[in-house]
Amino acid sequence: MQKRALITGITGQDGSYLAELLLEKGYQVFGMVRRSSTENFARIEHLRDKLNLVQGDLLDPTSLEKVLKSSRPDEIYNLAAQSFVPASWEQPILTGEFTGLGVARMLEAMRSVCPDARFYQASSSEMFGKVREVPQSEVTPFYPRSPYGVAKAYGHYITVNARESYNLFAVSGILFNHESPRRGLEFVTRKITRAAAGIKLGLFDKLELGNLDARRDWGFAGDYVYAMWLMLQANAPDDYVIATGATHSVKDFVSAAFQVVNLDPEAWVKIRSDLIRPAEVDLLVGDASKAQAQLNWKPETDFHGLVELMVKADYNALLKEVPAAKRPAVFAPATSTKTPQLT
């Protein structure tokens, strides 16, 4: 019998990759979308005729029950959230409603409508915040440093509580930073890769950033959604850190991106103090050994491969903005093997 999956947040980066994966595996895929005056389906436009989109809202419990009754899912992937960390300081209450309490609402709806379904919660490495140990694993204490991280910690623990209290198959994937060409333009990684491509094409004249010293464990979103699926195929529900185990600074990311287009970043990068977070998370690096041992999962895309993938995609997307007479025919990868360093 064909499996049925519901993805909240299907229009986002992870939702679009997960939808592709599930369709490839023969699932009937339902995507929950909010009613809005403006639709943003760009990431799933190539899949629209294969998806069943249903309207629902994490702020509205009644709508969630209706979504579950109409989709009758075997698997629920709760990816919807207010997911931009800087915005969580501007909208801490809304972030808590969507990213924290929204999880509780979905779990309650599941418990009422389809308690035998399997539930995945998108937890985040931002829950570790001011880290208590390096690297971070499933047993590392949380110390979130943003309203987003606090809300994610609530969503994580309410999922654990639902599993232990009601015997639901509910898991949390504690995913470290994962990026792709589908990452939103407001995120620092996409800001960097688009700027490197745009500067190379003569469209931009600078890249403005805040803290270059923050270090993250960056992986490819396509690899990470596969881990989500694996968690719901396991014999028993559990929580897993998903990460590469390698850490790089924002400065490293900038250097790698500019290397792809063979430019020295020092000539183009400007530092702005107002772009620095009120409370910074200085270092995140994950220990995914449990996922490797129990799920047989490991990342396939390394750091430099990820950066090149993103820069190349941005370069090719921006080509159409270059006057036809000056437009390069194809993407020209860098020939230098030395990564310029920012000072």
Side-chain angles (χ1 to χ4, degrees):
M1 183 180 294
Q2 186 181 31
K3 281 190 174 183
R4 301 161 70 93
L6 171 67
I7 304 172
T8 74
I10 195 170
T11 60
Q13 170 189 255
D14 291 4
S16 65
Y17 280 111
L18 179 60
E20 287 177 346
L21 173 68
L22 295 178
L23 287 170
E24 289 172 3
K25 292 187 175 296
Y27 281 66
Q28 187 174 0
V29 178
F30 294 80
M32 191 180 86
V33 295
R34 298 177 65 205
R35 183 182 294 276
S36 174
S37 58
T38 59
E39 294 184 344
N40 183 16
F41 296 148
R43 295 183 182 94
I44 57 170
E45 196 60 48
H46 63 298
L47 305 173
R48 284 289 295 274
D49 60 342
K50 301 176 183 178
L51 300 172
N52 303 279
L53 299 183
V54 290
Q55 290 188 345
D57 195 317
L58 288 177
L59 301 184
D60 180 7
T62 302
S63 75
L64 297 181
E65 291 191 5
K66 289 180 179 178
V67 166
L68 293 179
K69 287 176 181 177
S70 65
S71 59
R72 295 180 288 113
D74 300 293
E75 298 172 4
I76 302 167
Y77 296 87
N78 187 45
L79 311 185
Q82 190 301 100
S83 60
F84 186 45
V85 177
S88 72
W89 276 285
E90 301 297 325
Q91 298 178 308
I93 297 172
L94 185 64
T95 298
E97 287 284 357
F98 275 114
T99 308
L101 287 172
V103 185
R105 295 187 187 100
M106 179 58 82
L107 284 165
E108 284 298 291
M110 171 188 165
R111 195 160 70 91
S112 173
V113 177
C114 50
D116 293 330
R118 297 189 170 198
F119 178 87
Y120 171 85
Q121 165 58 17
S123 289
S124 169
S125 60
E126 288 286 330
M127 299 185 304
F128 294 120
K130 190 174 182 180
V131 299
R132 308 320 250 171
E133 62 182 10
V134 179
Q136 295 88 55
S137 73
E138 293 82 2
V139 297
T140 301
F142 298 149
Y143 193 146
R145 296 265 284 171
S146 68
Y148 170 80
V150 171
K152 277 293 185 183
Y154 175 89
H156 176 85
Y157 279 126
I158 204 66
T159 302
V160 173
N161 185 257
R163 178 172 73 227
E164 296 179 349
S165 299
Y166 304 116
N167 200 32
L168 298 179
F169 195 110
V171 308
S172 285
I174 307 173
L175 272 57
F176 280 65
N177 295 68
H178 47 288
E179 317 297 323
S180 76
R182 300 179 192 175
R183 181 55 111 176
L185 293 174
E186 69 273 21
F187 288 83
V188 68
T189 51
R190 186 74 192 289
K191 184 177 180 180
I192 292 168
T193 60
R194 191 169 186 270
I199 290 170
K200 182 67 174 181
L201 290 169
L203 298 173
F204 308 146
D205 61 3
K206 62 184 175 181
L207 166 59
E208 296 181 328
L209 295 171
N211 180 14
L212 295 182
D213 297 322
R215 301 186 69 87
R216 295 291 186 272
D217 183 331
W218 278 296
F220 173 51
D223 293 339
Y224 285 34
V225 299
Y226 180 57
M228 299 177 189
W229 177 77
L230 287 174
M231 289 180 212
L232 293 195
Q233 313 316 306
N235 292 328
D238 206 346
D239 306 320
Y240 297 89
V241 163
I242 302 299
T244 70
T247 183
H248 297 85
S249 66
V250 175
K251 183 185 298 185
D252 294 335
F253 202 107
V254 171
S255 296
F258 277 74
Q259 182 188 22
V260 174
V261 291
N262 204 21
L263 291 175
D264 184 343
E266 190 166 342
W268 308 98
V269 176
K270 311 298 179 186
I271 304 302
R272 279 177 45 187
S273 59
D274 62 311
L275 295 178
I276 297 175
R277 295 179 182 182
E280 184 59 86
V281 175
D282 297 315
L283 170 65
L284 292 174
V285 56
D287 174 5
S289 57
K290 179 179 174 181
Q292 293 174 16
Q294 297 186 16
L295 302 177
N296 196 29
W297 176 88
K298 63 179 181 179
E300 300 293 335
T301 309
D302 67 12
F303 174 74
H304 289 282
L306 169 66
V307 175
E308 182 169 358
L309 176 70
M310 294 177 66
V311 173
K312 184 173 181 178
D314 278 323
Y315 184 98
N316 291 333
L318 288 170
L319 272 177
K320 62 181 181 294
E321 299 184 22
V322 179
K326 298 181 180 180
R327 189 176 301 161
V330 294
F331 175 82
T335 55
S336 170
T337 58
K338 182 180 179 182
T339 302
Q341 296 296 316
L342 288 167
T343 57

